[in-house]
Amino acid sequence: KTGDSYVLKDDASGGKIYFARENMPNKLDLLVIQGQANSNRALKNVKELTDRAEGQISFNIVEIKSDLAKELGIKNAPTFLINNRIKVSGVQSAEYIKESFCKVNSLEVCSEMLSANLK
């Protein structure tokens, strides 16, 4: 407890929110290491979501050596950045990515069921 607020450590929730960054709805970045197996798997899984969203998601693939990764202190790939603010790390199923994305975005694809298995 800090004053009248509570502060969580990054590892308490398994995720991280960058409060100072501009919220950019329907934006999804995937930080990868080109050619790495886990980055390739993450890309296959997120592609199911982005394909079904039919252009409604602003999706970008970002190399882990980028300025963005350095700015945010992201050293592990794959890492997802949702709405320019919310970090989700690791290989995730298309359904998990959709659920994480749809907690803060409302698109038609949010009502669809995607693959729960990792590809």
Side-chain angles (χ1 to χ4, degrees):
K1 185 169 181 171
T2 303
D4 293 334
S5 302
Y6 290 90
V7 179
L8 293 177
K9 294 181 179 180
D10 293 345
D11 58 356
S13 67
K16 184 170 191 167
I17 298 177
Y18 300 99
F19 288 105
R21 294 182 59 80
E22 177 185 359
N23 184 44
M24 302 174 88
N26 302 325
K27 181 171 175 44
L28 181 61
D29 296 307
L30 174 58
L31 288 87
V32 300
I33 297 172
Q34 293 295 330
Q36 181 206 43
N38 283 338
S39 292
N40 292 338
R41 290 178 69 202
L43 186 55
K44 286 180 187 176
N45 291 319
V46 75
K47 188 164 173 33
E48 182 178 347
L49 171 63
T50 57
D51 286 353
R52 291 258 190 104
E54 299 177 339
Q56 295 180 334
I57 296 174
S58 173
F59 177 65
N60 299 293
I61 300 170
V62 181
E63 177 64 37
I64 198 74
K65 296 177 184 177
S66 69
D67 290 338
L68 174 64
K70 289 176 188 169
E71 173 191 339
L72 301 178
I74 297 173
K75 297 176 182 160
N76 298 315
T79 297
F80 296 91
L81 186 61
I82 301 170
N83 288 9
N84 198 43
R85 298 179 79 185
I86 302 166
K87 178 178 105 173
V88 176
S89 298
V91 178
Q92 307 295 338
S93 70
E95 180 63 18
Y96 185 86
I97 298 164
K98 182 203 74 175
E99 288 176 5
S100 298
F101 184 83
C102 291
K103 285 180 182 176
V104 292
N105 295 288
S106 295
L107 297 176
E108 286 183 32
V109 71
C110 293
S111 63
E112 295 182 28
M113 185 68 169
L114 303 182
S115 300
N117 297 325
L118 295 176
K119 295 180 182 173

